Amino acid sequence: NRNPTSLPMDAFSRFRSHFPALTQYTYLNTAAWGLLHDGLLDWRQEYDLDYLIGGSIMKIDSLGILEETRDHLSRFFNCPSGNIALCPNFSLGLNLLLEGLSTSSRILLLEGDYPSVNWPFESRGFPITVVSQGPDLEAKLLRAVEGGAEVLALSLVQWINGLLISPEFLRSLKEKAPDLLIIADATQYAGAFELDFGRSGIDVLGASGYKWLLGGNGNGFLLFSEMAKTRFEVRATGFNAVVPDLSKKNEIPFAKKLEPGHLDTQSFGSLNYGLGLLDELGMKTVDQYNREQSRKVKAALSALDLLDNTVREREVHSTIFNIPEPGGRYQHLKQEGIVCSPRGGGVRLSFHCYNSENDLDKLIEVLKTGP
């Protein structure tokens, strides 16, 4: 790996200059919403103008955006395009998928994981084992898998405290338990860090595109391994799964069954645009920048004794952090122009590649002057 000081900082500076919100706030809230790039705004306005003038002619012509986005996702994550389902968001895609999973499947979940990961399993009556989070989480997961879990479902980055489960660990887990079905929500990971789905050991990887992928709302996706396609009997279906050939009703490919209805080409064009922005920087560079940023933030917050042991004792962490709320801290940060979120009884801070060391310096300065 290159030394972080050799990163192309001019490229990051130019990148930041296209996010007007950064001139208004110290934005530490990508875990809630990623920012809008001015080039994407221009693209969306041109799209709407074309629709205003062209009506259905334009909309039909724009359908190619969906396959362009699917192909871009294929390259970005190393997954065959035929194994990619486009969906309005991760939550809808997972719920459709789970209608096809045997209800006798023994499920392994993480305590406190994102509701859209845990609740769909809980609401369907699966037999569930829940593992508590902690510094030794990977060891707990391994023991639970050895105890007979058949499906592991989790977020790669935990939404409240930013705890990170690396794809490398999941790949090693898969090697030990090749029949384990691994379902991962990458909404708080994809776009912040590199992710090679083909080598990850993950069988179903889903994400919504409005956070680190910078694609705005209304778009998401599911990626599938070949094994995953043997473990689900997907019941979803509809016109969009076969359009324009209605004779293909009984020949719908696995991923297309999860696309029963029309998809918004503007939303998926926005995701395609966001992927392009990250490609321009290079995901290796983005990954390295965010990992170095994570180390710096962790060190600074640890020096103020603001991180719990679960985070402090883990070697690798994401760019999401949660600090205590003694009363008034969130409001103090907000008043000082720092955008963040109250989560889990604390204050959640999240950094992306458009954040700079100046943002961290401002955060630490404000923390030292407030509650």
Side-chain angles (χ1 to χ4, degrees):
N1 290 338
R2 292 179 296 166
N3 187 302
T5 59
S6 71
L7 289 173
M9 297 309 298
D10 288 345
F12 281 107
S13 296
R14 289 194 298 273
F15 186 65
R16 292 185 197 107
S17 70
H18 292 284
F19 295 91
L22 297 177
T23 66
Q24 304 296 316
Y25 309 102
T26 300
Y27 194 80
L28 306 181
N29 209 29
T30 301
W33 263 282
L35 291 176
L36 179 63
H37 186 277
D38 57 16
L40 177 54
L41 175 64
D42 291 343
W43 182 88
R44 290 169 70 99
Q45 288 178 327
E46 183 175 347
Y47 177 102
D48 278 337
L49 180 59
D50 289 344
Y51 179 33
L52 179 70
I53 296 170
S56 64
I57 296 172
M58 176 272 178
K59 280 291 189 178
I60 292 170
D61 287 344
S62 76
L63 291 175
I65 289 173
L66 299 176
E67 293 313 308
E68 183 179 340
T69 303
R70 197 189 314 273
D71 289 342
H72 203 161
L73 288 167
S74 173
R75 298 189 303 274
F76 197 89
F77 292 107
N78 184 26
C79 177
S81 59
N83 287 2
I84 299 175
L86 304 180
C87 48
N89 54 60
F90 166 78
S91 301
L92 283 173
L94 179 63
N95 274 276
L96 282 178
L97 185 65
L98 291 188
E99 288 299 299
L101 183 64
S102 170
T103 55
S104 65
S105 300
R106 297 189 297 275
I107 311 297
L108 179 61
L109 303 175
L110 297 189
E111 183 179 14
D113 207 336
Y114 191 56
S116 289
V117 174
N118 285 1
W119 290 359
F121 289 94
E122 295 169 356
S123 69
R124 288 170 171 81
F126 291 102
I128 292 173
T129 298
V130 178
V131 171
S132 62
Q133 297 188 34
D136 60 343
L137 176 57
E138 286 81 0
K140 292 179 181 178
L141 289 173
L142 177 57
R143 287 195 295 271
V145 168
E146 290 173 342
E150 296 174 301
V151 180
L152 169 62
L154 79 176
S155 299
L156 294 182
V157 172
Q158 293 299 298
W159 69 301
I160 291 179
N161 62 6
L163 186 148
L164 186 151
I165 301 293
S166 73
E168 290 77 17
F169 165 73
L170 295 178
R171 183 169 65 246
S172 70
L173 192 62
K174 187 76 167 184
E175 290 170 355
K176 294 181 177 71
D179 292 331
L180 177 69
L181 181 72
I182 300 177
I183 301 173
D185 176 8
T187 300
Q188 301 285 25
Y189 186 102
F193 305 107
E194 270 195 300
L195 206 166
D196 185 331
F197 176 74
R199 297 184 63 251
S200 68
I202 299 168
D203 295 294
V204 180
L205 184 135
S208 296
Y210 67 99
K211 298 187 180 187
W212 315 91
L213 289 169
L214 308 177
N217 289 94
N219 56 72
F221 53 88
L222 295 174
L223 314 180
F224 301 102
S225 71
E226 290 302 317
M227 189 187 90
K229 295 192 289 186
T230 70
R231 299 285 289 271
F232 297 92
E233 292 291 337
V234 178
R235 296 176 174 84
T237 188
F239 174 76
N240 190 64
V242 298
V243 67
D245 188 351
L246 300 186
S247 70
K248 300 295 185 181
K249 176 184 176 183
N250 297 317
E251 304 172 29
I252 303 173
F254 180 87
K256 289 296 289 183
K257 291 179 181 178
L258 291 154
E259 299 179 9
H262 289 302
L263 297 165
D264 181 6
T265 51
Q266 186 184 58
S267 293
F268 282 95
S270 298
L271 173 59
N272 192 41
Y273 195 100
L275 294 170
L277 292 174
L278 295 168
D279 279 339
E280 287 180 18
L281 285 174
M283 274 310 301
K284 287 187 181 299
T285 300
V286 171
D287 182 289
Q288 185 178 358
Y289 182 87
N290 280 335
R291 290 185 189 277
E292 177 64 14
Q293 187 169 213
S294 173
R295 288 190 285 270
K296 290 178 179 178
V297 176
K298 183 180 177 182
L301 294 178
S302 294
L304 296 178
D305 197 25
L306 293 176
L307 297 179
D308 65 26
N309 288 338
T310 295
V311 172
R312 295 177 72 160
E313 294 177 15
R314 289 177 65 82
E315 184 176 349
V316 178
H317 191 70
S318 72
T319 55
I320 299 174
F321 297 85
N322 198 300
I323 61 175
E325 171 57 281
R329 175 167 284 158
Y330 171 70
Q331 287 300 324
H332 176 62
L333 292 170
K334 184 177 178 181
Q335 289 168 3
E336 293 295 327
I338 296 177
V339 182
C340 51
S341 295
R343 291 290 188 275
V347 179
R348 187 181 67 184
L349 309 161
S350 51
F351 295 75
H352 199 7
C353 60
Y354 44 53
N355 290 112
S356 68
E357 285 197 48
N358 291 337
D359 296 326
L360 177 57
D361 292 342
K362 171 70 178 293
L363 171 66
I364 299 305
E365 176 187 343
V366 172
L367 286 172
K368 288 179 176 179
T369 63

